[in-house]
């Protein structure tokens, strides 16, 4: 059974930083692409960044240069380092992976950027 558990969200002032973590179980972690998504109130869920099994990364334009996705296969964990946070980054952040064409999501972690 695939499970993803996020942590690390919270309240931060504009310009601040947070680091999200997502730990996976039930998969051979090193073989899987992992993605971070977010959903703000009243908006659709959007892809923020992903990292492949070969460490290839990609980011949505709005976070390029500010966010960094990384993975530690020994810990079955994917990270999202978020710097220079803006109020528009406020959202629930989810990690996702796909196994046998089934999408698995974590429970989400709230990130609020406000002064």
């Amino acid at each position: 059974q695939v499970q993803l558990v996020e942590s690390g969200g919270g309240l931060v002032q504009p310009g601040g930083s947070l680091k999200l973590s997502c730990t996976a179980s039930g998969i051979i972690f090193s073989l899987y692409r992992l993605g971070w998504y977010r959903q703000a109130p009243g908006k659709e869920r959007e892809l923020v960044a992903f990292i492949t099994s070969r460490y290839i990364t990609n980011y949505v334009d709005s976070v390029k240069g500010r966010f960094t996705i990384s993975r530690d296969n020994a810990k079955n964990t994917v990270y999202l380092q978020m710097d220079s946070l803006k109020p528009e980054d406020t959202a629930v952040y989810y990690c996702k992976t796909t196994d046998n064409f089934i999408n698995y999501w974590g429970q989400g972690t709230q990130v609020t950027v406000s002064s």
Side-chain angles (χ1 to χ4, degrees), residues 15 23 25 38 41 74 110:
T23 300
S25 59
R38 66 186 179 187
Q110 176 70 47

Side-chain angles (χ1 to χ4, degrees), residues 39-56:
Q39 188 166 21
K43 295 188 176 181
E44 293 187 355
R45 193 171 297 188
E46 66 168 349
L47 174 64
V48 175
F50 69 79
I51 184 166
T52 72
S53 59
R54 295 186 178 185
Y55 295 85
I56 296 170

Side-chain angles (χ1 to χ4, degrees), residues 21-95:
S21 301
C22 172
T23 300
S25 59
I27 56 174
I28 303 173
F29 183 82
S30 61
L31 301 180
Y32 285 77
R33 173 183 298 205
L34 279 298
W36 282 101
Y37 290 72
R38 66 186 179 187
Q39 188 166 21
K43 295 188 176 181
E44 293 187 355
R45 193 171 297 188
E46 66 168 349
L47 174 64
V48 175
F50 69 79
I51 184 166
T52 72
S53 59
R54 295 186 178 185
Y55 295 85
I56 296 170
T57 61
N58 200 8
Y59 301 87
V60 67
D61 285 346
S62 59
V63 308
K64 284 181 180 177
R66 300 189 298 121
F67 290 12
T68 303
I69 189 170
S70 61
R71 64 191 297 160
D72 184 338
N73 290 341
K75 295 182 178 180
N76 283 10
T77 299
V78 60
Y79 303 98
L80 186 67
Q81 176 67 46
M82 304 185 295
D83 299 317
S84 302
L85 282 161
K86 304 176 181 180
E88 51 263 43
D89 295 318
T90 295
V92 178
Y93 284 71
Y94 301 88
C95 63

Side-chain angles (χ1 to χ4, degrees), residues 1-12:
Q1 182 180 2
V2 180
Q3 289 189 324
L4 302 171
V5 179
E6 301 101 335
S7 62
L11 173 64
V12 63

